[in-house]
Every structure is written in structure tokens, then in C-alpha cells.
Amino acid sequence: VHKGLFLLEKLQAFFIVEVPQQRYIAEYGSNVTMECRFPVDGQLNLKDLSVSWEQKGLKEQKSKEVYTLQKGEEDLRSQHRDYRGRATLLRDKLNLGYSVLQITSVKLMDAGSYRCLIDYRGADYKYITLEVKASYTRINVQIMSEPAEEELVLTCQSEGFPLAEVFWQNEKNLQVNVSVNTTYTLTTDGLYNVTSMLTFKPNASENYSCTFWSKENEETSYIFTLGSYLLLNFYIGVATICVIVLIFLEIKQIKCICFRKPGILLVVSEPRLVLLLIYTTFPCQHICISSPKF
């Protein structure tokens, strides 16, 4: 009997679980596979194999059962609700001696330490660390004008983890700190919803950029091209004035013409000039009522 126990312990001592990679980094919302390896020695007898994956979160005392294979049969009765429908074992890899755990739609709470325990004619386990990051890859932007103050308000908003700082720069790469207001809230998934607003008096020759930065993630930037925005608003304003004038002339039953010279827009009534709008090249002549001869 003692000799048999000694041989069993000796066999178990040669059974070693290994991990080719001890640390994994996954992006929030992606899929991740983690792997540990065990000796098979020939053809795998699945009925002799039990596999257990457990996770211990960064701020949790109690472990969560992620996936269990008991004597070759999947056993999800004790699987933690956080992993239901998201965690599975790639069964086709078992014959190679690979226990590959796949987690889909990775969440922030998936970060932590994972124990891979294998029981197959011997038992052993190893730990693997999973880190989860959420990069600020999508930046939502908005440009608003404050006519009374002759100011523009540039807004950048994004979600990610961990908390990012937001830097504003002009096209000369000079950091802008005046009139910057940055706030954040937490989403139900634990992401930081960061919003930053820059208020300033615009200069058509300058562009501005907002940059989301954290040491764990690559920085993400968005560049505001103000020249195009200001020019577009300028044209819209000119078109609005032109339409209002033409409606007025129509009500007064005055024939009119929009006559464009290079760089000058004129609204003319018969028989005299009634309005010189502004220096521009906006094609206002397309919306005129009639075009009398001069």
C-alpha cells in the first residue's frame, strides 16, 4: 500500500501545468483567449480530464467560477453570473494538451488573476493575469458659437478607462489652459465619460486640437480646422441675408438681380442699387426673382 501511494505521488510530481504567457492585455469589448498547458502522453482520455478556471478580481476577496469541465463533461451549474454566455473552453484544443479559455465582450470587471487547474492523472495549477483597458478611440466633437460674446466653444467627449487627462493645443503646439473646463462621470460599465470644453475668441488662421491621454493607453487626438468652419458660417450668414432681402423685394413687387463680380456680391433693384452685401463669391444669382436688362 505504501509503495503504491509513493508511486502515485511520484507520478503526480511529474504532472506540471505550464503557461506560455503569464500576462494578457485585452481591450474593452473585445474577445480574449488565455491558455495553460498540461502533459497528455499519447491519446487523451477525456473522461479522466477535469479543468477548472477561476477568477479573482482586483478588488474582490472571493473567487468567481468562470468555467468547469468535470470528467470530460461541461459543468456550468456553479458558473458565476458575470461569465454566463461569455466564457467557454475551446474543446478542440484539449487533445493537444491545451486548456484555452475564451471570454467574449470583455468587461472591466474581467480584470484580475485567473487560476487554471488541471486534474488528469495528476493535478497542478498556474495563475494568469488579465488586464483590461478601454482606449479613448472615439472622440465626439461639437462647435458652438456665442454671438453675444463673439466666442467659440469647442467640445470633445469620449469614454474610456482609466481616467484620462485632456490637453488643448493650438497649431503652434502651445498648450492652451485658459477657459478650459473638463468634467467626467462614471458609466454603468465603469468607464469614464470625459467631456472637455474650450472657450475662446476665434482666429481664422489658427486650428486647435484636443488630446486624451493616460499612461496606460495611447493618446488620441482630434484637430478642429476653424478656417473651414468660420468660412462656412460666413457663407450661411451671407445666404440668409440675401434670401431675406429677396423676399422683401418680392413682397414690395420690385424686380431684382443678384450680380456677381469677382469678389463682390451685389443685390440690385430697379432702378437703383439698394444693397451692397459684402465681399464674397457666394453664387446668390441662382435665387433671384428676375434679371432685368441694364
Side-chain angles (χ1 to χ4, degrees):
V1 177
H2 293 291
K3 186 177 181 180
L5 291 174
F6 174 76
L7 290 174
L8 179 60
E9 291 175 357
K10 189 174 181 179
L11 287 172
Q12 288 179 333
F14 284 104
F15 185 86
I16 299 175
V17 170
E18 298 177 336
V19 289
Q21 186 175 332
Q22 290 187 329
R23 178 172 170 261
Y24 291 80
I25 300 177
E27 185 72 26
Y28 174 84
S30 67
N31 301 335
V32 65
T33 56
M34 296 179 289
E35 175 186 327
C36 67
R37 298 177 180 178
F38 60 96
V40 174
D41 296 331
Q43 184 69 31
L44 176 72
N45 187 348
L46 194 60
K47 293 183 178 180
D48 292 338
L49 176 66
S50 293
V51 177
S52 172
W53 283 86
E54 291 186 354
Q55 184 255 21
K56 190 172 183 180
L58 299 176
K59 299 180 180 179
E60 298 172 357
Q61 299 296 324
K62 189 176 180 181
S63 297
K64 299 177 183 177
E65 185 172 313
V66 180
Y67 185 90
T68 299
L69 185 77
Q70 187 68 31
K71 298 299 181 182
E73 298 291 334
E74 186 177 67
D75 185 0
L76 304 181
R77 291 173 297 177
S78 301
Q79 186 181 47
H80 195 276
R81 61 181 180 275
D82 290 345
Y83 291 96
R84 288 173 188 165
R86 294 196 304 122
T88 188
L89 197 68
L90 302 185
R91 301 284 292 266
D92 59 333
K93 302 293 185 181
L94 292 174
N95 287 327
L96 302 174
Y98 299 166
S99 173
V100 182
L101 176 71
Q102 182 181 68
I103 301 175
T104 60
S105 302
V106 171
K107 303 178 183 296
L108 293 179
M109 63 183 178
D110 294 337
S113 178
Y114 285 75
R115 188 193 69 175
C116 172
L117 187 151
I118 306 293
D119 185 353
Y120 182 72
R121 301 170 184 172
D124 192 21
Y125 63 89
K126 287 292 187 297
Y127 285 97
I128 295 174
T129 300
L130 174 64
E131 297 179 10
V132 179
K133 68 175 184 177
S135 302
Y136 294 80
T137 53
R138 180 178 179 180
I139 301 178
N140 302 309
V141 299
Q142 186 179 39
I143 303 177
M144 296 183 298
S145 59
E146 298 286 349
E149 303 294 335
E150 297 182 350
E151 292 179 332
L152 282 182
V153 180
L154 308 182
T155 302
C156 287
Q157 178 273 329
S158 188
E159 292 183 355
F161 184 91
L163 181 62
E165 297 181 64
V166 182
F167 299 101
W168 289 88
Q169 290 181 314
N170 58 20
E171 61 185 12
K172 298 175 183 178
N173 291 326
L174 297 176
Q175 190 168 326
V176 180
N177 294 318
V178 180
S179 300
V180 173
N181 181 28
T182 302
T183 59
Y184 70 87
T185 57
L186 276 173
T187 69
T188 54
D189 290 331
L191 298 177
Y192 287 100
N193 185 340
V194 182
T195 302
S196 186
M197 303 173 67
L198 171 65
T199 305
F200 66 104
K201 293 186 182 297
N203 184 340
S205 64
E206 277 196 324
N207 296 326
Y208 289 84
S209 66
C210 64
T211 301
F212 288 75
W213 178 89
S214 67
K215 64 181 181 180
E216 291 82 1
N217 297 321
E218 296 181 2
E219 65 178 38
T220 309
S221 300
Y222 181 89
I223 299 176
F224 291 87
T225 306
L226 295 183
S228 301
Y229 171 79
L230 295 174
L231 187 60
L232 177 62
N233 273 8
F234 176 75
Y235 280 161
I236 292 174
V238 170
T240 302
I241 294 174
C242 187
V243 171
I244 292 174
V245 171
L246 293 176
I247 292 174
F248 173 77
L249 295 176
E250 169 70 3
I251 293 174
K252 296 296 184 179
Q253 296 183 345
I254 301 174
K255 293 182 179 181
C256 73
I257 182 173
C258 291
F259 177 76
R260 186 181 67 177
K261 292 181 180 180
I264 300 176
L265 172 65
L266 299 175
V267 177
V268 181
S269 68
E270 188 181 5
R272 64 174 185 224
L273 174 69
V274 293
L275 184 61
L276 169 63
L277 281 181
I278 202 159
Y279 289 95
T280 184
T281 56
F282 192 87
C284 185
Q285 69 271 21
H286 296 308
I287 55 175
C288 283
I289 302 167
S290 61
S291 301
K293 296 180 180 179
F294 288 91

